[in-house]
Amino acid sequence: MKRFLLLILTLLLYTELYATGTFSTGFLFAVDGQNGAIDKIRNDINHDMRLTQYSDPSTSINEIDTIYSPSLSINFRYFYDRFMMQLAWEYSTFFFFNEKGSITPSSGDKNTIELKYSRFTFPFTMAIILPAWNNSRFFIGGGLNLSFMMLEVNKSDYATLTRFPDKKNTYSGYIPGFHFKIGAETTLSRNYSISFEYIKYMSKNFTVKSDNGNSEIYMGLNSFEIGVGINYNVNSGI
């Protein structure tokens, strides 16, 4: 991370800042490819179900499938020649389609497992602008972010998947991290532009206890997003 920030600052020293600045605000609609640490939790649950089936072949399982969650960002940006600063607010959740699976042991009731996930992320980004053709440009940069993540693991039966002891297990916490971003933007009219972005979020995994303190999981934001945005730009004259 230090080397990456040093690279950005070095590039800025060689950039001639001669143009007036531009303020921009817009929306970015994206797809979250890994849902933070939820991908690992899903795989752990599927692994536990397979182990149970291995020890008791008559057990029936339905593994939890991956559902890519959509996200919506509101962006506030400032451009000055080849430099960009951005502050954003992002929300991501499964919306109407939660991840589900089930396990039915030979001597017990069917246990349906459901994951409910949502997060709020506040990223701050600095980037270098690379001019292209016909009022288009590329940008590459990165920065820091703070996320508030929430996960709810629901079970219909107590007997299996004992790593989650309750029928409703809720986890939440603040996760700091950093990100890398590349993208392209082209002007649609005098004030409007459309952008395409790839964002890679990275963080450590932190131990998060359930709200009632009965269990704990590792939670982090290690994911990527691909999105398209619409922006409104105003020349500030400064």
Side-chain angles (χ1 to χ4, degrees), residues 44-64 102-107 160-161:
D44 289 343
I45 294 175
N46 288 337
H47 178 70
D48 288 350
M49 291 194 294
R50 288 193 296 268
L51 287 179
T52 302
Q53 187 182 51
Y54 180 78
S55 60
D56 182 5
S58 60
T59 297
S60 173
I61 65 172
N62 180 23
E63 295 189 12
I64 303 174
S102 64
I103 178 170
T104 307
S106 57
S107 59
T160 53
L161 299 175

Side-chain angles (χ1 to χ4, degrees), residues 73-87:
S73 299
I74 301 175
N75 304 307
F76 301 93
R77 304 182 298 173
Y78 177 70
F79 295 92
Y80 195 87
D81 191 46
R82 297 184 185 180
F83 174 68
M84 180 188 79
M85 290 190 300
Q86 176 179 289
L87 184 64

